[in-house]
Amino acid sequence: MPETKVVLTEKELPAQWYNLQADLPFPLPPVIHPGTMRPIGPDDLAPIFPMQLIAQEVSRERWIEIPEAVRDIYRLWRPTPLYRAHRLERALQTPARIYYKWEGVSPAGSHKPNTAVAQAYCSAREGVKRITTETGAGQWGSALALACRQFGLECKVYMVKISFEHKPYRKLLMEAWGANVVPSPSPDTAAGRAILAADPASPGSLGIAISEAVEDAVSRPDTRYALGSVLNHVLMHQTVIGLETKRQFEVLGEYPDVLVGCVGGGSSFAGFTFPFVQDKLSGKAPHLRIVAVEPTACPSLTKGRYLYDFGDTAGTTPLMKMYTLGHSFVPAPIHAGGLRYHGMAPLVCVLYDHGIVEAVAVPQKPVFEAALQFAQSEGILPAPEPSHAIRVVMEEAVRCRERGERKTIAFVLCGHGHFDLASYERYMTGQLEDYELPQSAIDEALSLVPKVEPRV
Ligand SMILES: *Cc1c(COP(=O)(O)O)cnc(C)c1O
C-alpha cells in the first residue's frame, strides 16, 4: 500500500515566499486612487499598512526571505501534511490519484494564519502596537487574534453584527487569544456612529466593518490595518502552501495533472497554485490544469466582468482591476461565508484573463453532499469553502473512471468545518437551498461600477 501522507521535517519549511509578480509575462494593472485616477503610491498607503508590506505589494523580487521569527511560529503547525485520499478514491472507484494539502492543522483551523503571522510580525517590527481588522464569520479575525498574541500586539476586530450575534464561537476563540471584538456597526468610530444613528438595528456588513477598521487604524499613529485576502502580499505569504506541496510531490516522485482550489478572495488558491503556475509559465508543466471553484451564488470569475472596481461594498477603497460582480452586489446567504466576495484577487484575475487558470461555479447542495462523502471516507469534516473544491475533484475523478484515465489530482483543503456544524445541520435536515444568480441581478450591480480611465 502506498503512503497515506507525506510529512516534511521542520528543516524543510520554506525559507522564502514565492512572488509570482517576478515571473508574470504580462503587466499587472495598477491600483488606482479614486480621487486622482492615478496609480496609488506608498504614501497613500502608509497610514494604513506597515511599510514592509507596502514594499512587498509591488515587489518584483522572485524570492522574499521569510523572517526567522515568522518561520518559528509557522513551526507550530508547518510543514502541513499532503494526504493521499485512498479511501475517497476507493469510494469513487476511480483510477485517478487524489491528494489534498491539509491546512486545517493550524491553531485557527485554516490557512489564514500563514499571512496573519507575517503581517503581525511586520507591524511589530515597525513599532506598531495595535492592529485592526474586520471579520464576517470570524475565520480571518481568529487568525489575526492568534498572530497578534504571538507578537504582543493588541488586536481589535470589528465583527459584522449579525455574525457576532448568531456565531458566538469564533468570537469566543478570538477573545480567548486576547482580541477585543466589537459588533459592527459600533459606537467606537464615526462611520459606525453614523450608521447607528440612521438605523440602530443595522445588522452590519463587511463593507461597514472595513470602514470602521480602516478609520480606527488611520486615526491612531500606533495602529495599522490588516487584510486577510485579495492583496498581492497576502497571496505571496500563502505560497508556503504550494512550495511545500511541490516538495512533497518530489518526495513522491510525481507531478500533478490537475490542481483545484476554492476562491473567495483567492488567497488559499493562489498560495497553493502559484509555485506551480511558475512551472506553467516557464514551459515546464505545459499541460497542468489549474481550476478555481466558486459558488453559483457568487460567481465573480465565471459571470463577472474584468473591470476597475472598489474592493469594499461601501466604495471607499482604491480601485483594483478584477473580475467583479459589482461592489454593491450582495450575495445570497450561502453557508460558505468565505466565498461571498464580489471581486477577486487581481493576480488571480490576470491569470484567468490570460487563460492560465480555469474557473467553474458549483451550487451549495452538491457541495455539502461532497463534503459529507469526504468526511465519511477520509474522516476530516471540511469547511464549506474547500468543499467546493472537493465537489469538483470528485467530478473529475468520476470522469477519470469513465475514460479510464489515471490522472493525479490535488486540491487544497484550506480549513476544517468544526465551526460550521450549524450549516451542516441545515443541509442534513433538508433546509439548504441552491442559488443561481440571474444575469439581470449581475447586470444591475455592474451598472453601478464606476467607469474608470486610469491616467497612467
Ligand atoms: C477565508 C477562507 C476562504 C476564502 O478566502 P480565500 O482568500 O479565497 O482563500 C476559504 N476557505 C477558508 C477555510 C477560509 O477561512
Side-chain angles (χ1 to χ4, degrees), residues 268-281:
S268 54
F269 173 79
F272 179 58
T273 64
F274 281 7
F276 293 91
V277 168
Q278 182 187 26
D279 289 351
K280 209 169 146 113
L281 291 172

Side-chain angles (χ1 to χ4, degrees), residues 108-113 138-140 170 228-230 234-235 238 261-271 293 336-341 344-345 382-387 412-416 420:
S110 78
H111 64 290
K112 289 204 170 75
Q139 285 158 323
W140 168 238
R170 285 232 177 239
S229 188
V230 180
V234 177
L235 273 52
Q238 294 293 354
C262 67
V263 284
S267 71
S268 54
F269 173 79
V293 189
L339 306 186
R340 296 176 71 238
Y341 183 58
M344 185 61 60
E385 291 88 352
S387 300
V412 54
L413 184 52
C414 54
H416 66 62
D420 302 288

Side-chain angles (χ1 to χ4, degrees), residues 297-325:
C298 193
S300 324
L301 289 173
T302 52
K303 292 208 174 160
R305 287 187 52 206
Y306 195 31
L307 299 170
Y308 270 100
D309 195 6
F310 293 107
D312 67 328
T313 336
T316 55
T317 68
L319 295 157
M320 292 179 290
K321 189 156 184 197
M322 55 185 181
Y323 280 85
T324 178
L325 296 165

Side-chain angles (χ1 to χ4, degrees), residues 56-319:
Q56 287 177 8
E57 188 65 15
V58 295
S59 169
R60 295 289 184 85
E61 299 261 330
R62 181 169 295 117
W63 299 104
I64 297 198
E65 209 66 26
I66 307 177
E68 197 43 46
V70 172
R71 295 180 81 220
D72 200 42
I73 296 172
Y74 279 176
R75 282 190 194 97
L76 290 171
W77 71 94
R78 306 209 72 85
T80 63
L82 179 75
Y83 276 80
R84 170 95 183 260
H86 288 298
R87 289 159 188 81
L88 181 64
E89 290 171 17
R90 279 203 292 275
L92 298 173
Q93 296 182 303
T94 178
R97 298 165 190 223
I98 302 175
Y99 290 95
Y100 55 95
K101 179 68 166 164
W102 178 216
E103 289 293 308
V105 289
S106 83
S110 78
H111 64 290
K112 289 204 170 75
N114 295 332
T115 184
V117 170
Q119 294 192 48
Y121 167 80
C122 290
S123 296
R125 222 188 59 138
E126 293 176 24
V128 170
K129 299 280 178 265
R130 209 172 148 263
I131 302 184
T132 63
T133 199
E134 73 287 338
T135 199
Q139 285 158 323
W140 168 238
S142 48
L144 191 67
L146 162 77
C148 284
R149 178 50 42 215
Q150 291 294 324
F151 291 103
L153 297 169
E154 276 180 56
C155 179
K156 173 131 183 206
V157 181
Y158 292 88
M159 185 172 188
V160 177
K161 195 202 277 170
I162 184 117
S163 302
F164 184 93
E165 285 166 358
H166 291 296
K167 300 188 172 166
Y169 297 116
R170 285 232 177 239
K171 179 196 96 176
L172 290 163
L173 185 60
M174 291 183 256
E175 289 174 344
W177 280 319
N180 174 10
V181 188
V182 293
S184 164
S186 79
D188 302 3
T189 66
R193 285 190 294 273
I195 305 242
L196 286 174
D199 176 12
S202 165
S205 71
L206 223 37
I208 296 170
I210 292 175
S211 307
E212 289 204 273
V214 173
E215 178 189 324
D216 181 328
V218 300
S219 64
R220 285 180 57 164
D222 67 347
T223 303
R224 292 292 180 275
Y225 165 74
L227 202 59
S229 188
V230 180
L231 301 181
N232 303 338
H233 67 263
V234 177
L235 273 52
M236 186 187 73
H237 298 153
Q238 294 293 354
T239 58
V240 286
I241 304 172
L243 292 167
E244 287 177 7
T245 306
K246 245 177 138 169
R247 174 84 193 106
Q248 285 160 319
F249 272 112
E250 274 169 33
V251 171
L252 287 164
E254 278 189 66
Y255 196 90
D257 297 301
V258 189
L259 295 176
V260 185
C262 67
V263 284
S267 71
S268 54
F269 173 79
F272 179 58
T273 64
F274 281 7
F276 293 91
V277 168
Q278 182 187 26
D279 289 351
K280 209 169 146 113
L281 291 172
S282 72
K284 255 172 74 184
H287 304 298
L288 174 65
R289 285 181 54 215
I290 304 177
V291 186
V293 189
E294 56 188 14
T296 49
C298 193
S300 324
L301 289 173
T302 52
K303 292 208 174 160
R305 287 187 52 206
Y306 195 31
L307 299 170
Y308 270 100
D309 195 6
F310 293 107
D312 67 328
T313 336
T316 55
T317 68
L319 295 157

